[in-house]
């Protein structure tokens, strides 16, 4: 029975962020089809931030109407929404609509919002429910959260990017000379994308299956004995356990939003072993809070918006590898932080600077698009992929370090962690969206028709 419960808790945890993580690793294929093209990541980034209305609503309801929301009912509704949205996305992801004379993937963007709403809200509902079970199952739940980023990345690697090749495309041009019009045939190199190992439809159906597995796991978990049933005789069997604003944000800080580290920030396990209290000066706390805001802005808003511009000039395969491997770097960094935790502020500062440096390189390459450094060199391909992996891994480790430090300081410190993390993410997304989609700071081009100076 214990092993079965562990498996159920793990499967339940995989549904927390699998939808959005799956979207991010599939973007390299989506940008070749959807009309938003290279701007698509910036749309996804801002939509994810808009979806934070979900956890905000749950927070406010539990602050001003405690007990009104039923925890089990809310989770059933959220996960069922995820299953339906994933299934619809499988068949409607490439459906387009014309708005103001331009084609847009409205169905994809709307369904992305609902998937983001599901994942963001899971951060403030899944963990409180797991706290009703024995503490060891909560640790297994966090393993499942890590797998919610790892499994889609592995599936995307198996899917492949689809081989692209340059093809001579002919088209007719009418040339008028005096009173005579002559039809001429011209040739132009264009990129032709061959299909990947399996289609985007199959990929999203696999994500739907994972969400359905999460729903079934939750169904059976609700039939497991609760911790408090032994002492409180089921006085509160289905009420949301969050009774204050501080507690809800504490839980939100434990589950990173927008594809962030999906693991516990307390390497000893969530609340089963209380960490030793450590006091930090106001100066040190201010430094940590600034780091949290800065790192969240970079990882959740600024850099994801321009990943296509940073990688696609090197080719479609390079973008695919950068997206999938950097996505895998996130849970792997969490594992490293779990076994090698650190509270060193000096190390935090060094890793923040190093990660920012890699992020600056990625941003510089995006600004140079479509003619970045080392474009026709395998070194350029390798460096940009490695830069994205190290950027994600280092700054993910920094966020885990910050959580470990602040949890050892006080409960209120984690409240500020959650607030500043969301503030930084929102500011980063709001900054980049107009730069990418309104002012056109970043330029795209067809890989095969590029004419860059050697």
């Amino acid at each position: 029975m214990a092993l079965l419960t562990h498996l159920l808790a793990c499967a339940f945890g995989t549904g927390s962020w699998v939808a959005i993580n799956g979207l991010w690793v599939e973007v390299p294929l989506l940008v070749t089809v959807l009309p938003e093209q290279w701007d698509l990541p910036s749309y996804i980034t801002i939509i994810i931030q808009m979806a934070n209305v979900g956890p905000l609503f749950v927070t406010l309801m539990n602050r001003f109407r405690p007990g009104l929301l039923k925890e089990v009912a809310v989770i059933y509704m959220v996960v069922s929404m995820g299953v339906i949205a994933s299934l619809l996305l499988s068949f409607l992801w490439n459906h387009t609509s014309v708005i103001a004379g331009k084609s847009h993937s409205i169905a994809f963007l709307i369904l992305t919002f609902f998937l983001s709403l599901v994942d963001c809200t899971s951060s403030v509902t899944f963990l409180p429910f797991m706290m009703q079970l024995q503490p060891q199952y909560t640790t297994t739940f966090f393993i499942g959260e890590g797998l919610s980023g790892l499994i889609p990345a592995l599936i995307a690697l198996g899917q492949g990017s689809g081989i692209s090749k340059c093809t001579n495309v002919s088209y007719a041009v009418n040339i008028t000379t005096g009173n005579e019009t002559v039809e001429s045939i011209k040739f132009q190199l264009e990129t032709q994308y061959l299909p990947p190992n399996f289609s985007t439809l199959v990929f999203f159906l696999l994500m739907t299956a994972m969400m359905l597995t999460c729903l079934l796991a939750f169904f059976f978990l609700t039939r497991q004995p609760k911790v408090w049933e032994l002492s409180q005789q089921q006085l509160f069997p289905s009420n949301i356990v969050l009774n204050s604003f501080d507690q809800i944000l504490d839980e939100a800080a434990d589950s990173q939003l927008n594809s962030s580290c999906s693991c516990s920030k307390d390497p000893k396990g969530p609340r089963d072993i209380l960490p030793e209290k450590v006091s930090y000066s106001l100066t040190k706390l201010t430094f940590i809070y600034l780091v949290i805001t800065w790192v969240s802005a970079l990882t959740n808003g600024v850099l994801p918006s321009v990943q296509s511009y940073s990688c696609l000039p090197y080719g479609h395969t390079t973008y695919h590898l950068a997206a999938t491997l950097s996505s895998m770097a996130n849970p792997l960094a969490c594992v490293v932080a779990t076994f090698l935790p650190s509270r060193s502020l000096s190390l935090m500062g060094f890793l923040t600077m190093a990660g920012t440096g890699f992020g600056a390189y990625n941003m510089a390459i995006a600004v140079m698009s479509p003619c970045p450094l080392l474009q026709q060199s395998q070194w350029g391909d390798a460096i940009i992929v490695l830069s994205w992996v190290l950027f994600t891994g280092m700054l993910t480790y920094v966020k885990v370090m910050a959580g470990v430090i602040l949890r050892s300081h006080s409960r209120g410190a984690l409240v500020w962690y959650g607030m500043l993390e969301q503030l930084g993410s929102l500011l980063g997304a709001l900054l980049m969206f107009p730069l990418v989609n309104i002012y056109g700071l970043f330029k795209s081009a067809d890989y095969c028709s590029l004419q860059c100076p050697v």
Side-chain angles (χ1 to χ4, degrees), residues 53-72 74-75 121 123-126 128-129 132 228 238-249 251:
V53 297
L56 178 62
F57 172 76
V58 174
T59 299
L60 295 178
M61 288 296 294
N62 284 278
R63 177 67 177 91
F64 298 106
R65 293 290 188 271
L68 182 61
L69 290 179
K70 304 300 181 182
E71 181 178 78
V72 172
V74 170
I75 296 179
T121 307
S123 295
V124 294
T125 53
F126 283 21
F129 170 79
Q132 300 178 26
W228 53 42
S238 61
N239 289 345
I240 288 186
V241 242
L242 309 176
N243 296 319
S244 69
F245 183 65
D246 286 355
Q247 188 170 353
I248 189 75
L249 286 178
E251 306 301 349

Side-chain angles (χ1 to χ4, degrees), residues 431-446:
L431 170 67
M432 295 307 299
F433 188 80
L435 294 180
V436 174
N437 298 283
I438 298 177
Y439 298 107
L441 179 62
F442 304 91
K443 306 297 181 182
S444 62
D446 187 273

Side-chain angles (χ1 to χ4, degrees), residues 223-243:
R223 279 141 181 80
Q224 301 298 312
K226 312 291 191 299
V227 170
W228 53 42
E229 286 179 354
L230 299 177
S231 58
Q232 298 188 19
Q233 291 82 38
Q234 300 184 2
L235 293 179
F236 308 102
S238 61
N239 289 345
I240 288 186
V241 242
L242 309 176
N243 296 319

Side-chain angles (χ1 to χ4, degrees), residues 341-361:
S342 174
R343 292 188 175 91
S344 170
L345 295 184
S346 299
L347 179 60
M348 175 183 288
F350 171 77
L351 291 178
T352 301
M353 292 178 61
T356 301
F358 287 113
Y361 177 81

Side-chain angles (χ1 to χ4, degrees), residues 24-25 28 152-154 156-157 307 319-329:
W24 277 121
V25 297
L154 292 175
L157 282 178
Q307 188 175 32
Y319 184 18
H320 173 73
L321 289 175
T324 53
L325 294 181
S326 61
S327 181
M328 294 174 65

Side-chain angles (χ1 to χ4, degrees), residues 262-275:
S262 300
C263 59
S264 171
K265 294 178 180 59
D266 181 4
K268 297 180 181 179
R271 292 176 177 77
D272 51 338
I273 302 177
L274 294 177

Side-chain angles (χ1 to χ4, degrees), residues 56-348:
L56 178 62
F57 172 76
V58 174
T59 299
L60 295 178
M61 288 296 294
N62 284 278
R63 177 67 177 91
F64 298 106
R65 293 290 188 271
L68 182 61
L69 290 179
K70 304 300 181 182
E71 181 178 78
V72 172
V74 170
I75 296 179
Y76 268 127
M77 182 182 67
V78 166
V79 181
S80 298
M81 183 190 304
V83 173
I84 296 172
S86 298
L87 184 61
L88 290 176
L89 189 65
S90 302
F91 298 96
L92 300 177
W93 68 271
N94 57 352
H95 181 76
T96 59
S97 305
V98 177
I99 298 179
K102 291 185 178 181
S103 181
H104 292 280
S105 50
I106 300 301
F108 173 83
L109 297 177
I110 292 176
L111 291 172
T112 296
F113 172 77
F114 282 105
L115 290 177
S116 303
L117 190 65
V118 170
D119 289 3
C120 289
T121 307
S122 74
S123 295
V124 294
T125 53
F126 283 21
L127 184 60
F129 170 79
M130 288 303 303
M131 291 177 63
Q132 300 178 26
L133 304 179
Q134 296 294 332
Q136 64 268 25
Y137 300 128
T138 309
T139 303
T140 310
F141 168 81
F142 281 118
I143 295 175
E145 278 199 335
L147 292 177
S148 73
L150 185 61
I151 293 177
L154 292 175
I155 294 176
L157 282 178
Q159 182 185 23
S161 61
I163 300 173
S164 59
K165 64 178 183 179
C166 297
T167 306
N168 244 335
V169 178
S170 62
Y171 59 96
V173 177
N174 292 326
I175 301 176
T176 303
T177 305
N179 296 327
E180 185 180 1
T181 300
V182 179
E183 186 179 87
S184 175
I185 303 297
K186 289 193 174 182
F187 294 89
Q188 180 178 339
L189 279 176
E190 291 184 1
T191 304
Q192 180 181 1
Y193 297 99
L194 301 181
N197 296 328
F198 54 87
S199 67
T200 300
L201 167 65
V202 174
F203 180 87
F204 284 136
L205 285 177
L206 290 174
M207 296 300 102
T208 304
M210 291 187 67
M211 288 300 303
L212 185 59
T213 302
C214 172
L215 180 61
L216 293 175
F218 177 68
F219 172 79
F220 289 108
L221 281 175
T222 56
R223 279 141 181 80
Q224 301 298 312
K226 312 291 191 299
V227 170
W228 53 42
E229 286 179 354
L230 299 177
S231 58
Q232 298 188 19
Q233 291 82 38
Q234 300 184 2
L235 293 179
F236 308 102
S238 61
N239 289 345
I240 288 186
V241 242
L242 309 176
N243 296 319
S244 69
F245 183 65
D246 286 355
Q247 188 170 353
I248 189 75
L249 286 178
D250 190 8
E251 306 301 349
D254 281 340
S255 291
Q256 294 274 15
L257 297 186
N258 185 24
S259 306
S260 295
C261 175
S262 300
C263 59
S264 171
K265 294 178 180 59
D266 181 4
K268 297 180 181 179
R271 292 176 177 77
D272 51 338
I273 302 177
L274 294 177
E276 179 184 354
K277 295 295 180 182
V278 180
S279 295
Y280 294 93
S281 66
L282 180 60
T283 302
K284 291 182 178 179
L285 286 176
T286 302
F287 168 75
I288 296 171
Y289 290 142
L290 289 175
V291 167
I292 292 170
T293 307
W294 173 255
V295 168
S296 299
L298 292 182
T299 57
N300 297 345
V302 176
L303 269 302
S305 299
V306 296
Q307 188 175 32
S308 54
Y309 292 94
S310 178
C311 300
L312 269 177
Y314 294 99
H316 194 247
T317 301
T318 300
Y319 184 18
H320 173 73
L321 289 175
T324 53
L325 294 181
S326 61
S327 181
M328 294 174 65
N330 189 304
L332 292 178
C334 292
V335 172
V336 173
T338 300
F339 291 100
L340 298 174
S342 174
R343 292 188 175 91
S344 170
L345 295 184
S346 299
L347 179 60
M348 175 183 288

